């Protein structure tokens, strides 16, 4: 495969980092043109590092979506997520630091601290510009943000509408080393269908459940088989306390049914085939603050 590539072919890793909810996963999906990473309106949606590979004529970019770096969470799962995010900034060729418009919070400052010793280029992405009404205020505010450290570029964009995303990609290409591709050109992610299935169920939970409940849930795939293009998937939704089980199931099972339908539809779209999805809700007391339980539920450091 490499023989046919131009000699100045570029390839490298690009970590997408930032505090929770700024639009990192939305940006990854927008760049790739397909949903690799789940997204939701509330913080701490992404819990694992997820690779998204984009191969062009002259470059291959390996994006690393990361959990939002956050303060305040004290459970073992918070430590796991922060570790996954922090460890992603070493061993990459470029770091993309995403912020939500020109707002600057304590958590953004915390991310900036984490980037202090990063020697590779850091690109600042100012996301959600579609939400900015007074466009004339943007330029001076961008200039202020640019003073916070040395950035290779400051790029305002909208991950949601796609505006400005091509400029980010062009900038990233400039910063990548000359290298042969690392992945086959048709590979889009390092994650399996099984992983995506669990994530899609979790996305519907995060989007559909109120208050603290999403933070008490995780999804485990117990069975994933495929026969004649039809996938049979059994998923367990783990909660922390018995009382949470009934809330998720809902009156006459309506809520669980709705979540299952939404997740199944997206799986069928993503996998390009029929899906039979069965969901169970089970209790695993305090799983999110239990290192052993976390490991057995797939939260393992790489
Ligand atoms: N208006 C607007 N909303 C956006 C944009 N990008 C992302 N969002 C919304 O912001 C919310 C958070 O997006 P995510 O992509 O899940 O954010 P994240 O940074 O991956 O969050 P964590 O995984 O929790 O760290 C979602 O409701 C998105 O739809 C954008 O460009 N414009
Ligand atoms: Mg995310």
């Amino acid at each position: 495969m490499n023989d046919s590539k131009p000699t100045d072919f570029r390839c490298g890793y690009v970590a997408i980092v930032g505090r929770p909810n700024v639009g990192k996963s939305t940006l990854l999906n927008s760049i790739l043109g397909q949903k690799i990473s789940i997204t939701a309106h509330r913080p701490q949606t992404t819990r694992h590092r997820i690779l998204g590979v984009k191969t062009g004529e002259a470059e291959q970019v390996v994006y690393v979506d990361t959990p939002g770096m956050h303060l305040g969470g004290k459970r073992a799962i918070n430590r796991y997520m922060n570790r996954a995010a922090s460890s992603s900034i070493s061993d990459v060729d470029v770091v993309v630091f995403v912020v939500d418009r020109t707002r600057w919070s304590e958590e953004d400052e915390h991310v900036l601290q984490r980037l202090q010793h990063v020697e590779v280029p850091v690109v600042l992405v100012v996301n959600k510009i579609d939400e900015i009404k007074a466009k004339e205020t943007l330029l001076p505010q961008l200039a202020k943000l640019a003073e916070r450290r040395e950035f290779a570029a400051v790029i305002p964009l909208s991950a949601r509408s796609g505006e400005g995303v091509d400029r980010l990609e062009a900038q990233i290409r400039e910063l990548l080393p000359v290298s042969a591709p690392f992945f086959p050109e048709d590979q889009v992610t390092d994650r399996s269908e099984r992983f995506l299935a669990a994530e899609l169920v979790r996305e519907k939970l995060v989007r559909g459940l109120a208050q603290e409940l999403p933070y008490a849930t995780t999804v485990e795939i117990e069975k994933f088989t495929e026969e004649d293009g039809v996938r049979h998937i059994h998923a367990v939704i783990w909660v922390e306390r018995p009382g949470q089980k009934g809330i998720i199931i809902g009156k006459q099972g309506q809520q669980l049914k709705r979540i299952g339908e939404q997740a199944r539809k997206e799986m069928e779209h993503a996998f390009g085939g029929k899906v039979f999805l069965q969901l169970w809700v089970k209790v695993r007391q305090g799983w999110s603050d239990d290192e052993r339980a976390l490991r057995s539920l797939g939260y393992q450091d790489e």
Side-chain angles (χ1 to χ4, degrees):
M1 176 174 114
N2 300 355
D3 298 348
S4 60
K5 298 279 179 227
T7 50
D8 61 346
F9 194 89
R10 293 176 183 223
C11 181
Y13 280 82
V14 177
I16 305 175
V17 304
R19 70 171 167 82
N21 211 40
V22 292
K24 299 177 295 299
S25 303
T26 305
L27 178 60
L28 176 73
N29 295 339
S30 168
I31 290 170
L32 294 177
Q34 73 184 82
K35 185 144 145 194
I36 294 293
S37 196
I38 62 168
T39 66
H41 60 289
R42 41 155 69 98
Q44 299 177 30
T45 299
T46 305
R47 289 179 178 167
H48 302 275
R49 301 173 60 200
I50 296 168
L51 298 193
V53 185
K54 184 160 180 182
T55 307
E57 285 297 311
E59 73 284 313
Q60 178 176 77
V61 193
V62 186
Y63 293 96
V64 188
D65 188 19
T66 63
M69 290 182 197
H70 55 282
L71 301 163
K74 294 277 178 286
R75 299 166 303 158
I77 193 170
N78 298 110
R79 292 194 293 277
Y80 169 84
M81 289 162 69
N82 279 320
R83 264 198 321 272
S86 296
S87 65
S88 303
I89 51 185
S90 43
D91 295 332
V92 293
D93 301 287
V94 178
V95 172
V96 170
F97 173 19
V98 185
V99 296
D100 180 346
R101 288 158 279 179
T102 52
R103 295 171 181 175
W104 190 261
S105 71
E106 195 191 347
E107 276 182 329
D108 294 309
E109 188 62 39
H110 169 70
V111 179
L112 190 70
Q113 297 291 326
R114 289 279 141 130
L115 297 178
Q116 221 168 26
H117 301 293
V118 167
E119 283 170 11
V120 297
V122 177
V123 175
L124 180 67
V125 160
V126 179
N127 189 28
K128 308 196 188 182
I129 54 159
D130 55 294
E131 299 266 11
I132 299 178
K133 298 283 176 294
K135 299 278 185 210
E136 68 281 0
T137 61
L138 188 57
L139 268 180
Q141 287 182 340
L142 288 180
K144 260 179 89 183
L145 278 180
E147 287 169 7
R148 294 192 181 264
R149 73 161 275 152
E150 201 179 309
F151 292 112
V154 178
I155 301 184
L157 56 78
S158 168
R160 183 178 277 177
S161 76
E163 186 190 349
V165 173
D166 51 346
R167 278 196 292 125
L168 172 65
E169 291 191 72
Q171 180 62 246
I172 286 170
R173 188 185 185 279
E174 293 304 307
L175 299 170
L176 291 182
V178 171
S179 158
F182 301 145
F183 291 89
E185 56 191 316
D186 57 353
Q187 185 169 348
V188 185
T189 181
D190 63 331
R191 296 294 183 167
S192 60
E193 286 190 352
R194 193 186 178 104
F195 177 81
L196 184 60
E199 287 287 272
L200 287 173
V201 173
R202 207 164 57 74
E203 179 183 79
K204 304 314 165 201
L205 290 167
V206 176
R207 290 185 181 186
L209 299 177
Q211 287 147 27
E212 292 304 304
L213 218 44
Y215 303 99
T217 60
T218 190
V219 177
E220 185 179 28
I221 304 297
E222 285 202 319
K223 178 183 149 180
F224 191 119
T225 57
E226 187 187 339
E227 217 176 300
D228 302 326
V230 179
R231 289 162 181 79
H232 291 262
I233 304 172
H234 292 185
V236 176
I237 299 167
W238 290 103
V239 294
E240 301 212 288
R241 292 194 305 274
Q244 295 165 336
K245 187 172 160 175
I247 303 176
I248 290 186
I249 293 170
K251 259 202 198 115
Q252 283 149 8
Q254 284 303 314
Q255 176 158 255
L256 188 62
K257 192 171 161 213
R258 191 174 60 244
I259 283 165
E261 277 170 5
Q262 291 170 347
R264 175 184 55 78
K265 281 196 187 125
E266 270 210 52
M267 287 179 204
E268 290 185 333
H269 176 74
F271 304 154
K274 199 162 174 47
V275 169
F276 284 101
L277 174 66
Q278 287 195 52
L279 298 177
W280 286 267
V281 185
K282 296 185 189 175
V283 182
R284 186 146 176 182
Q285 208 88 32
W287 66 266
S288 74
D289 198 22
D290 175 343
E291 303 276 358
R292 249 188 69 207
L294 279 173
R295 278 195 297 279
S296 83
L297 291 167
Y299 297 89
Q300 273 150 329
D301 292 318
E302 286 156 51

